[in-house]
Amino acid sequence: MTTRPSFDRPIAHRGLHDRAGGVIENSRTAFERAIARGFPIECDVQLSSDHVPVVFHDDELERLTGARGFLRDKTIAELTALPLIGSEAGDRPQRFTEFLEQIAGRTLLQIELKAQQGAAATDALARSAAAALASYKGPVTVESFDPTLIALIRRYGFGGPVGIITYAYDKPDWEKGLSPRRKFALRHLLHWPWSRFDFISCHFEALQLPAVRLFRSLGVPVTAWTVRDPAQARLAAAGADQIVFEGFDPESA
């Protein structure tokens, strides 16, 4: 049986980044800053066109690199050659394996597998992420909005805690292409019989969802994302066991 995770400290969303200070999200420098403060790290992983996992959040490249087009259409060599805009250290996107080598067990990881287009890419991401984690030594969790991904990564041998990311499914810009029936199932965590998640990562505004409250009452840990100021942290405290934060220092607020 998988051990439920213990989220003892606030989790740095995409590392401890600060664009104004030249430290870009999901970068080597942002991750080192989080480790220096003793914070766990949340990060995003998705697939290049040649099916190599890379640490990067957006589907499109322009916001973070200035390049046009979709990440999924670029090879890993092309992606890792792109400078992250504004990085004073000259950071570039990392292969997932390079990221794991960098962290080397020094802090807890909360790794989000990004939803992919199509069953083949979904399977490939779960398979390749599981393979990369097979030899990793250190505390690590894996999560996704897509329950299929967390079920698959378990199937491919990942034995650590897996989590479902959720919210109220009331933000049309976030959920294009999802049917009302699919949104209902995701909102109410109706996939539990087969996804068997070990924790929940919930938007801080949706912590009072009945399903989230029920599972937390049964001992399932809940983290709240993405908390950006002390007022949001206070709101999250009543319904979550820990916060995923950015843009402020949760230990001095």
Side-chain angles (χ1 to χ4, degrees), residues 128-252:
S128 57
L133 288 166
S135 59
Y136 184 72
K137 307 297 183 185
V140 58
T141 68
V142 173
E143 62 182 4
S144 184
F145 283 95
D146 184 354
T148 300
L149 275 166
I150 62 174
L152 282 171
I153 197 168
R154 268 204 179 129
R155 182 185 301 173
Y156 290 130
F158 177 68
V162 296
I164 190 68
I165 311 174
T166 195
Y167 65 105
Y169 285 86
D170 56 355
K171 302 181 186 300
D173 288 346
W174 293 6
E175 56 219 32
K176 294 174 182 177
L178 290 180
S179 69
R181 182 176 180 179
R182 175 70 168 168
K183 288 190 285 186
F184 182 88
L186 292 170
R187 181 187 305 117
H188 295 288
L189 305 178
L190 299 184
H191 48 76
W192 158 252
W194 55 271
S195 65
R196 294 287 175 167
F197 50 81
D198 301 298
F199 67 95
I200 297 169
S201 188
C202 183
H203 191 271
F204 76 92
E205 293 178 340
L207 290 166
Q208 296 308 308
L209 284 171
V212 175
R213 294 175 63 190
L214 172 62
F215 278 100
R216 188 169 185 241
S217 74
L218 296 173
V220 176
V222 175
T223 62
W225 55 273
T226 299
V227 173
R228 293 183 169 89
D229 59 47
Q232 292 178 355
R234 289 190 293 271
L235 180 64
D241 302 290
Q242 193 51 269
I243 62 170
V244 181
F245 74 94
E246 68 175 32
F248 78 112
D249 186 339
E251 296 190 334
S252 64

Side-chain angles (χ1 to χ4, degrees), residues 15 38 42 52 63 69 80 112 117 119-120 126 131 139 147 164 187 199 218 236:
E42 184 272 350
V52 179
R63 180 178 70 92
T80 55
E112 178 183 344
Q117 287 199 337
I164 190 68
R187 181 187 305 117
F199 67 95
L218 296 173

